[in-house]
Amino acid sequence: MTPTTTTTGRPAGTDTATLQTLDTPDGPFSVLEDGEGRVLASGWTDDPARLLGRLAVRHRPERVTEGRVAAADAVDAYYAGEVEHAMQVPVRQHGTELFTEGWRQLRAVPAGTVLTYTELAAAMARPDAVRAAASVCARNAPALFVPCHRVLRSDGTLGGFAWGLDVKRSLLERESVGVTALV
Protein backbone atom coordinates (compact mmCIF):
# COMPACT_ATOMS: atom_id res chain seq x y z
CA MET A 1 0.00 0.00 0.00
CA THR A 2 1.48 3.34 -1.02
CA PRO A 3 0.55 6.25 1.24
CA THR A 4 -0.75 9.43 -0.31
CA THR A 5 1.81 12.19 -0.23
CA THR A 6 1.42 15.83 0.55
CA THR A 7 2.82 18.58 -1.65
CA THR A 8 5.99 18.51 0.45
CA GLY A 9 6.58 14.88 -0.55
CA ARG A 10 6.01 13.63 2.99
CA PRO A 11 3.41 10.91 3.63
CA ALA A 12 -0.05 12.34 4.39
CA GLY A 13 -0.75 12.78 8.09
CA THR A 14 2.93 13.00 9.09
CA ASP A 15 3.48 16.76 9.11
CA THR A 16 2.01 17.22 12.60
CA ALA A 17 1.58 14.66 15.35
CA THR A 18 0.02 14.71 18.80
CA LEU A 19 1.79 13.42 21.88
CA GLN A 20 0.17 12.38 25.13
CA THR A 21 1.79 10.84 28.19
CA LEU A 22 -0.42 8.73 30.45
CA ASP A 23 0.26 7.41 33.92
CA THR A 24 0.21 3.61 34.04
CA PRO A 25 1.16 1.00 36.66
CA ASP A 26 4.29 0.39 34.54
CA GLY A 27 5.27 4.07 34.57
CA PRO A 28 4.64 6.91 32.15
CA PHE A 29 3.41 5.71 28.75
CA SER A 30 3.63 8.10 25.81
CA VAL A 31 1.72 7.82 22.55
CA LEU A 32 2.55 9.72 19.35
CA GLU A 33 -0.31 9.84 16.80
CA ASP A 34 -0.36 11.26 13.31
CA GLY A 35 -3.04 13.62 12.05
CA GLU A 36 -5.22 10.66 11.07
CA GLY A 37 -5.21 9.13 14.55
CA ARG A 38 -2.73 6.36 13.81
CA VAL A 39 -0.09 5.52 16.42
CA LEU A 40 3.38 6.19 15.05
CA ALA A 41 5.29 5.35 18.22
CA SER A 42 4.56 4.57 21.84
CA GLY A 43 6.40 3.37 24.88
CA TRP A 44 7.04 3.58 28.59
CA THR A 45 8.75 6.95 28.75
CA ASP A 46 7.88 10.57 29.28
CA ASP A 47 10.78 11.69 27.08
CA PRO A 48 9.51 12.81 23.65
CA ALA A 49 13.02 12.54 22.16
CA ARG A 50 13.28 8.89 23.18
CA LEU A 51 9.92 8.17 21.57
CA LEU A 52 10.78 10.06 18.37
CA GLY A 53 14.08 8.16 18.28
CA ARG A 54 12.08 4.99 17.59
CA LEU A 55 11.18 6.43 14.16
CA ALA A 56 13.48 6.79 11.16
CA VAL A 57 14.28 10.47 10.63
CA ARG A 58 12.39 10.54 7.32
CA HIS A 59 9.23 9.30 9.08
CA ARG A 60 9.28 11.71 12.01
CA PRO A 61 6.60 14.40 12.09
CA GLU A 62 7.75 17.94 11.42
CA ARG A 63 5.81 19.24 14.45
CA VAL A 64 4.70 17.58 17.66
CA THR A 65 2.04 19.11 19.87
CA GLU A 66 0.85 17.88 23.24
CA GLY A 67 -2.80 16.91 23.47
CA ARG A 68 -5.24 14.06 23.81
CA VAL A 69 -4.70 11.05 21.54
CA ALA A 70 -7.45 8.67 20.46
CA ALA A 71 -5.41 5.68 21.68
CA ALA A 72 -5.57 6.90 25.30
CA ASP A 73 -8.87 5.08 25.86
CA ALA A 74 -7.34 1.79 24.66
CA VAL A 75 -4.37 2.24 27.01
CA ASP A 76 -6.75 2.85 29.91
CA ALA A 77 -8.77 -0.22 28.88
CA TYR A 78 -5.61 -2.32 28.66
CA TYR A 79 -4.61 -1.44 32.20
CA ALA A 80 -8.20 -2.04 33.35
CA GLY A 81 -7.94 -5.64 32.13
CA GLU A 82 -9.40 -5.28 28.63
CA VAL A 83 -6.10 -5.96 26.90
CA GLU A 84 -7.40 -6.67 23.39
CA HIS A 85 -8.67 -3.10 22.91
CA ALA A 86 -5.10 -2.11 22.11
CA MET A 87 -5.12 -4.40 19.06
CA GLN A 88 -7.94 -2.34 17.53
CA VAL A 89 -5.97 0.91 17.57
CA PRO A 90 -4.76 1.94 14.10
CA VAL A 91 -0.98 2.14 13.71
CA ARG A 92 1.34 3.43 11.00
CA GLN A 93 4.64 1.61 10.46
CA HIS A 94 7.20 1.86 7.69
CA GLY A 95 9.28 -1.10 6.60
CA THR A 96 9.94 -3.76 4.02
CA GLU A 97 7.35 -6.37 3.12
CA LEU A 98 9.06 -8.73 5.57
CA PHE A 99 8.81 -6.25 8.43
CA THR A 100 5.23 -5.34 7.54
CA GLU A 101 4.27 -9.02 7.59
CA GLY A 102 6.06 -9.49 10.91
CA TRP A 103 4.17 -6.60 12.48
CA ARG A 104 0.90 -7.96 11.09
CA GLN A 105 1.65 -11.35 12.63
CA LEU A 106 2.44 -9.74 15.99
CA ARG A 107 -0.98 -8.11 16.04
CA ALA A 108 -2.53 -11.54 15.50
CA VAL A 109 -0.97 -12.99 18.66
CA PRO A 110 -3.79 -13.04 21.23
CA ALA A 111 -3.25 -11.91 24.78
CA GLY A 112 -2.46 -14.83 27.03
CA THR A 113 -0.25 -16.50 24.45
CA VAL A 114 3.33 -16.04 23.35
CA LEU A 115 5.47 -16.92 20.36
CA THR A 116 9.17 -17.62 20.15
CA TYR A 117 11.27 -15.73 17.63
CA THR A 118 11.43 -19.01 15.66
CA GLU A 119 7.63 -19.28 15.65
CA LEU A 120 7.33 -15.64 14.57
CA ALA A 121 9.70 -16.30 11.66
CA ALA A 122 7.55 -19.27 10.62
CA ALA A 123 4.38 -17.18 10.89
CA MET A 124 6.04 -14.66 8.58
CA ALA A 125 6.51 -17.54 6.07
CA ARG A 126 10.27 -17.23 6.52
CA PRO A 127 11.19 -20.04 8.97
CA ASP A 128 14.92 -19.47 8.48
CA ALA A 129 14.65 -15.73 9.22
CA VAL A 130 14.84 -15.91 13.02
CA ARG A 131 17.20 -12.91 13.22
CA ALA A 132 14.83 -10.93 11.00
CA ALA A 133 11.97 -11.86 13.33
CA ALA A 134 13.99 -10.48 16.24
CA SER A 135 14.61 -7.31 14.23
CA VAL A 136 10.87 -6.98 13.58
CA CYS A 137 10.40 -6.81 17.34
CA ALA A 138 13.37 -4.49 17.89
CA ARG A 139 12.13 -2.01 15.26
CA ASN A 140 8.52 -2.03 16.46
CA ALA A 141 7.77 1.62 17.26
CA PRO A 142 4.11 1.40 18.41
CA ALA A 143 4.78 -0.83 21.42
CA LEU A 144 1.72 -2.25 23.19
CA PHE A 145 -0.43 -1.74 20.07
CA VAL A 146 1.81 -4.14 18.15
CA PRO A 147 2.59 -6.59 20.97
CA CYS A 148 6.22 -7.51 20.46
CA HIS A 149 6.34 -8.15 24.21
CA ARG A 150 4.53 -11.44 23.45
CA VAL A 151 7.66 -12.88 21.79
CA LEU A 152 10.13 -14.91 23.85
CA ARG A 153 13.38 -16.73 23.27
CA SER A 154 13.06 -20.39 22.29
CA ASP A 155 14.02 -21.43 25.84
CA GLY A 156 11.07 -19.45 27.27
CA THR A 157 13.13 -16.60 28.70
CA LEU A 158 12.11 -13.03 28.12
CA GLY A 159 14.80 -11.94 25.67
CA GLY A 160 15.01 -8.21 24.98
CA PHE A 161 12.51 -5.38 25.06
CA ALA A 162 13.13 -1.73 24.18
CA TRP A 163 11.31 -0.55 27.31
CA GLY A 164 13.03 -2.91 29.73
CA LEU A 165 12.49 -6.44 30.92
CA ASP A 166 10.58 -5.29 34.01
CA VAL A 167 7.91 -3.76 31.76
CA LYS A 168 7.85 -6.83 29.50
CA ARG A 169 7.47 -9.12 32.52
CA SER A 170 4.68 -6.93 33.90
CA LEU A 171 2.79 -6.92 30.58
CA LEU A 172 2.99 -10.69 30.28
CA GLU A 173 1.87 -11.14 33.89
CA ARG A 174 -1.01 -8.72 33.28
CA GLU A 175 -1.99 -10.81 30.27
CA SER A 176 -1.69 -13.98 32.40
CA VAL A 177 1.09 -15.50 30.34
CA GLY A 178 3.33 -17.96 32.12
CA VAL A 179 6.98 -17.83 31.18
CA THR A 180 9.47 -20.43 32.32
CA ALA A 181 12.15 -17.99 33.45
CA LEU A 182 11.50 -14.36 34.29
CA VAL A 183 15.07 -13.18 33.79
Side-chain angles (χ1 to χ4, degrees), residues 9-26:
R10 295 179 59 80
T14 60
D15 54 340
T16 301
T18 304
L19 175 73
Q20 181 177 0
T21 300
L22 302 133
D23 291 323
T24 75
D26 293 317

Side-chain angles (χ1 to χ4, degrees), residues 19-22 24-32 39-55 78-79 93 103 117 136-151 158-171:
L19 175 73
Q20 181 177 0
T21 300
L22 302 133
T24 75
D26 293 317
F29 182 78
S30 295
V31 179
L32 182 69
V39 175
L40 301 172
S42 55
W44 289 265
T45 183
D46 57 2
D47 180 0
R50 185 165 179 218
L51 200 62
L52 286 166
R54 302 286 299 156
L55 300 171
Y78 179 89
Y79 280 101
Q93 294 176 281
W103 293 322
Y117 293 107
V136 163
C137 292
R139 287 193 36 210
N140 178 43
L144 184 66
F145 307 105
V146 178
C148 59
H149 63 275
R150 296 178 186 162
V151 181
L158 294 179
F161 188 59
W163 305 105
L165 293 183
D166 289 341
V167 172
K168 184 172 185 171
R169 182 180 301 107
S170 175
L171 297 173

